[in-house]
Amino acid sequence: MVTSLRARTLGFAPGLLAPGPHNAITDVAGVRVGQVTLIQGEATRTGVTAILPHPGNPYASRVPAGLFAMNGFGKMAGVTQVQELGELETPILLTNTLAVGRAVEALVDWTLAQPGSESVRSVNAVVGETNDGRLNDIRARGVTADHMRQALEIATDGPVAEGSVGAGTGTMAFGWKGGIGTASRLLPAALGGWTVGALVQANYGGALLMDGLALGRLLRKYDLAEHAAEQADADGSVMVVVATDAPLSDRNLQRLARRAMAGIARTGAAFSDGSGDYALAFATHADVRRTPQRGAVADWPNDRMSALFVAAAEATEEAVLNALCCATTISSRLDGRRVTGQALPLDQVAALRRAACRLP
């Protein structure tokens, strides 16, 4: 039985653009990811994922950023200043809903300890979350500020662990085990040659589509399936972080973040009333970094943004598919009963894809 493979290995390669060498957000030079996974006792199934925009001090050398909320039922921290100033001054932490405060504390501690931050007296910590309470004893608050700081300190470039790891340890998606997923796209030289990477924390519902294949219906697990053997829950949330090395302004990064939601829509998302659906995009290009001495000095033209929009949607879509395909089954005991997040049955998925490809 196949238990964990990336979507592309199973034949799902959504979109037109080629992926980067790792097919991950870390294909954007300088971006690093660190993760801490907490599986403890019978009920702690949670964690933290850190995304660092560059190797330096992000407070002293700020990257422009843009935010888009598809449905704002969430507890994301630091977003109003991002919207007002159009920049990040800390790394991004993803965790569970009740750990947002501890993540803010950890980012403040980490920022104040950075060389060059000796006179800093205000920190806008950016934290995203989804509620993993279906598999994790979220009220126990197992994630500590130390775990957050550890994720920041161990962040590296290169391949990124996916599935039931980090902030995706206890998440669910489309009735199956969700998790962390990532992907990237490379633009041809004629379109700028830029890289776009996405990382998702998938914890939402709807009717699953994988590269256009209606797997939610074929596997009979989807939202509003009144007569299905198992009905998936539409509620939940998704966090999308998009990075690019293109020289984009915060205004165009907000546009890029909005297009990332097209990738979420392509997976069959319900965008339900109880879902917090956020996308945050940032640019790492040296000419758009902001320091005390200067603001941004470059901006990619509006009429050349379309290819970047396509790349953001494609990378986001594939990142979700990777989260699902790489996730492993997670069980816990909550309120005296055994609960299980079952991994997507990849053998069935592969068979359904082969059958679909044989159709005339």
Side-chain angles (χ1 to χ4, degrees):
M1 176 182 292
V2 178
T3 58
S4 179
L5 286 174
R6 299 194 87 189
R8 197 163 283 258
T9 307
L10 291 166
F12 296 100
L16 304 172
L17 298 170
H22 301 296
N23 198 12
I25 193 171
T26 50
D27 287 327
V28 179
V31 175
R32 294 173 292 153
V33 174
Q35 304 194 81
V36 172
T37 301
L38 292 177
I39 300 178
Q40 299 172 343
E42 288 194 317
T44 297
R45 309 287 186 267
T46 190
V48 56
T49 298
I51 303 100
L52 283 71
H54 59 73
N57 182 346
Y59 191 95
S61 182
R62 304 180 186 187
V63 295
L67 177 82
F68 178 70
M70 186 73 175
N71 192 68
F73 191 84
K75 288 75 186 169
M76 192 174 183
V79 294
T80 55
Q81 184 170 312
V82 171
Q83 291 171 316
E84 184 70 20
L85 301 184
E87 62 190 25
L88 290 175
E89 59 186 46
T90 69
I92 301 160
L93 286 179
L94 305 180
T95 188
N96 74 56
T97 305
L98 296 188
V100 170
R102 290 174 175 174
V104 169
E105 177 186 353
L107 281 170
V108 170
D109 289 345
W110 185 89
T111 300
L112 295 179
Q114 297 305 299
S117 293
E118 291 79 10
S119 61
V120 170
R121 299 176 63 184
S122 172
V123 179
N124 185 54
V126 175
V127 182
E129 55 79 30
T130 70
N131 194 310
D132 57 14
R134 283 172 286 188
L135 291 175
N136 171 51
D137 183 4
I138 194 169
R139 288 173 58 90
R141 305 184 70 194
V143 185
T144 67
D146 285 341
H147 293 127
M148 308 290 183
R149 288 188 289 267
Q150 182 184 352
L152 291 164
E153 295 298 338
I154 65 174
T156 62
D157 56 9
V160 175
E162 296 172 291
S164 306
V165 297
T169 302
T171 63
M172 296 285 293
F174 301 101
W176 305 101
K177 182 67 189 70
I180 293 294
T182 188
S184 67
R185 291 295 185 270
L186 303 179
L187 267 60
L191 298 176
W194 309 115
T195 300
V196 176
L199 184 144
V200 302
Q201 180 189 18
N203 190 47
Y204 64 103
L208 177 60
L209 296 172
M210 291 186 68
D211 199 10
L213 183 62
L215 279 167
R217 285 188 294 169
L218 292 169
L219 295 172
R220 295 192 59 76
K221 187 180 287 195
Y222 54 98
D223 178 41
L224 304 180
E226 294 180 359
H227 305 289
E230 296 182 78
Q231 183 171 337
D233 187 357
D235 282 343
S237 301
V238 62
M239 273 299 313
V240 184
V241 178
V242 176
T244 183
D245 56 2
L248 302 188
S249 64
D250 55 275
R251 177 183 55 81
N252 269 330
L253 285 162
Q254 184 181 51
R255 299 176 75 201
L256 195 70
R258 187 178 296 118
R259 270 60 175 197
M261 284 299 166
I264 299 298
R266 291 175 188 174
T267 67
F271 297 116
S272 66
D273 176 70
S275 186
D277 311 309
Y278 295 88
L280 178 66
F282 63 85
T284 63
H285 195 286
D287 289 344
V288 295
R289 299 268 186 92
R290 301 172 182 182
T291 70
Q293 291 75 37
R294 65 159 205 177
V297 295
D299 190 7
W300 196 241
N302 290 337
D303 61 5
R304 300 196 69 188
M305 285 295 299
S306 294
L308 290 163
F309 293 159
V310 172
E314 289 185 6
T316 301
E317 179 184 6
E318 187 168 353
V320 172
L321 304 190
N322 283 334
L324 283 159
C325 290
C326 291
T328 52
T329 297
I330 294 288
S331 294
S332 65
R333 183 171 292 278
L334 298 178
D335 300 323
R337 61 188 180 89
R338 177 66 60 182
V339 292
T340 300
Q342 193 70 41
L344 195 67
L346 297 188
D347 290 327
Q348 293 182 54
V349 170
L352 289 167
R353 183 189 177 278
R354 288 193 298 269
C357 289
R358 289 195 295 269
L359 291 175

